Amino acid sequence: MLLVDIKKKLGAFHLDVSFETGGEVLALLGPSGCGKSMTLRCIAGVERPDSGRIVLNGRVLFDSGKGIDLPPQQRRVGYLFQNYALFPHMTVVQNIAAGACRLSARERQAAVESSIRTFRLEGLERLRPRQLSGGQQQRVALARILAGSPELLLLDEPFSALDSYLRWQLELELLDTLESFPGDVVYVSHDRDEVCHLCASVCVLAEGRSEPKESVRQLMEAPRTLSAALISGCRNYSRISRLDEHTVRCEDWGVTLHTAAPVPPEAAAVGVRAHHIVPGEAAENTFVCAVERVIPGPFTAVVTLAVPGSREGALPLRMELEREKWEALGRPEKLAVHVAPEQVMPLLGGEACRI
């Protein structure tokens, strides 16, 4: 179990993060610059928080009140950097052995041999990092980390340095590694697809502040805040006036929508996913839009829609549907669309969720 409750000020940026893990792969998800990597660096001991506590399996790694700040080598934390941080002058074998420095010579040799087999690095033992592909470098970096028998893994955007065509196979390999790892994992990413494939729970960070931990499924199906909805891929959002428990006036779009989910009094916005905007009329939540632009893809079409009466400067609505269905509509200039009430997501706002 990992407990993190820390604060750190960096100029105008304030990091305020609190979460716990318990036998899981937890994602820290958020846009670039929201404090994800800084959080990992504080857990690993590379950076020092200004205040707070970090506790791993009952061991206090950091406690500002008690003056405890263990150095990185005593934390039993494996940290995979974005660029893998392999020692450039060392071979594959030497890099892995460096991760097992606390073991005896015989135990270190056994750990290296086991890692070479586990990560399929046979034949690469004498090569240096510059002679390896990106995927091979990642496997060596993971082998080096695991050779030290860490209690916690910290993975900082492990696919950011790789070409997209390599990622799927490496995701499968990493998934195997995470499933066999006995400790907890904190996985930093801004890619929701990676998070869905590899993680069970998620903590969204927005402008340095953490939101309550939730399951990945809840994030995708019913995000609680605007920042969570945006990072989950929701492209349409509007500030609202709450008319009653199931009715809102969308100030940016100039339309009134009914919701299946209750609208809390403190709700600041609603979100609608692009594929939940459907051509045609329905009993509820139907409005007519002007078609601004169509961006065809190989399988789907993205259609931007302007709603008459929308606020000046408001972003157009984004609708996504199968390309054949769009073409069957005959390229209309105006289009009636509707959104099912159960697809309108009431969202909380706050300082980290400015519209």
Side-chain angles (χ1 to χ4, degrees):
M1 179 177 175
L2 172 69
L3 183 150
V4 176
D5 185 6
I6 55 174
K7 295 181 181 179
K8 185 175 179 65
K9 184 177 180 181
L10 297 164
F13 180 80
H14 294 257
L15 185 71
D16 186 354
V17 175
S18 177
F19 63 86
E20 295 183 11
T21 68
E24 63 190 315
V25 181
L26 170 73
L28 296 184
L29 185 62
S32 298
C34 69
K36 304 184 302 295
S37 294
M38 178 57 66
T39 300
L40 290 197
R41 293 171 68 85
C42 288
I43 296 170
V46 180
E47 296 280 350
R48 188 179 191 277
D50 295 331
S51 62
R53 299 179 77 233
I54 303 172
V55 182
L56 175 61
N57 296 332
R59 292 190 301 116
V60 179
L61 308 185
F62 175 81
D63 189 318
S64 58
K66 296 181 179 179
I68 299 173
D69 185 17
L70 296 186
Q73 59 270 26
Q74 294 182 16
R75 296 197 175 197
R76 301 287 303 275
V77 172
Y79 186 6
L80 182 66
F81 294 85
Q82 289 184 22
N83 62 358
Y84 310 136
L86 296 173
F87 298 115
H89 61 286
M90 290 186 179
T91 65
V92 167
V93 166
Q94 291 169 336
N95 263 285
I96 297 173
C101 58
R102 290 192 299 269
L103 304 180
S104 67
R106 179 176 296 180
E107 292 171 331
R108 188 181 311 124
Q109 181 178 352
V112 170
E113 292 174 353
S114 175
S115 296
I116 292 292
R117 292 191 300 271
T118 299
F119 289 93
R120 296 184 282 97
L121 297 169
E122 294 92 340
L124 307 177
E125 292 90 341
R126 297 182 180 277
L127 299 184
R128 288 177 168 77
R130 67 177 181 276
Q131 298 171 296
L132 304 174
S133 69
Q136 290 167 342
Q137 290 182 34
Q138 185 188 92
R139 293 204 297 270
V140 174
L142 281 169
R144 182 178 66 182
I145 290 170
L146 295 175
S149 300
E151 296 179 11
L152 173 72
L153 282 184
L154 306 177
L155 307 181
D156 192 354
E157 300 201 42
F159 302 113
S160 63
L162 302 176
D163 293 330
S164 58
Y165 70 89
L166 291 174
R167 293 189 179 191
W168 175 240
Q169 181 60 38
L170 292 175
E171 275 190 29
L172 294 176
E173 294 177 2
L174 181 58
L175 182 60
D176 291 338
T177 299
L178 299 184
E179 287 177 345
S180 62
F181 180 66
D184 283 1
V185 181
V186 181
Y187 186 100
V188 155
S189 179
H190 62 267
D191 188 312
R192 65 182 183 276
D193 291 335
E194 287 179 19
V195 169
C196 289
H197 297 159
L198 298 168
C199 305
S201 55
V202 59
C203 178
V204 172
L205 268 64
E207 298 183 358
R209 294 180 178 271
S210 62
E211 298 185 357
K213 186 176 75 170
E214 58 188 330
S215 70
V216 172
R217 180 174 180 176
Q218 181 179 359
L219 174 72
M220 301 308 298
E221 294 183 356
R224 290 182 292 221
T225 66
L226 176 59
S227 58
L230 294 178
I231 202 65
S232 74
C234 180
R235 303 299 179 89
N236 302 307
Y237 58 92
S238 170
R239 71 190 76 195
I240 61 169
S241 299
R242 181 181 185 271
L243 303 183
D244 60 44
E245 190 178 20
H246 291 281
T247 311
V248 296
R249 178 68 180 174
C250 301
E251 304 296 345
D252 292 311
W253 303 332
V255 299
T256 298
L257 295 180
H258 299 285
T259 72
V263 181
E266 65 272 24
V270 294
V272 178
R273 299 194 186 277
H275 60 278
H276 289 152
I277 298 177
V278 182
E281 297 186 11
E284 295 182 285
N285 298 347
T286 295
F287 46 95
V288 177
C289 303
V291 176
E292 283 195 341
R293 188 174 183 183
V294 180
I295 306 171
F299 307 110
T300 62
V302 175
V303 183
T304 60
L305 304 169
V307 186
S310 61
R311 178 181 60 83
E312 183 178 355
L315 295 174
L317 288 175
R318 174 174 173 144
M319 176 177 70
E320 295 183 21
L321 68 165
E322 294 178 10
R323 184 169 177 172
E324 292 80 3
K325 292 182 178 179
W326 168 251
E327 292 174 348
L329 296 173
R331 301 182 179 180
E333 294 183 359
K334 292 186 177 181
L335 186 66
V337 299
H338 67 273
V339 182
E342 58 267 25
Q343 306 299 353
V344 181
M345 302 182 294
L347 303 169
L348 302 181
E351 291 182 3
C353 306
R354 293 193 301 270
I355 302 179

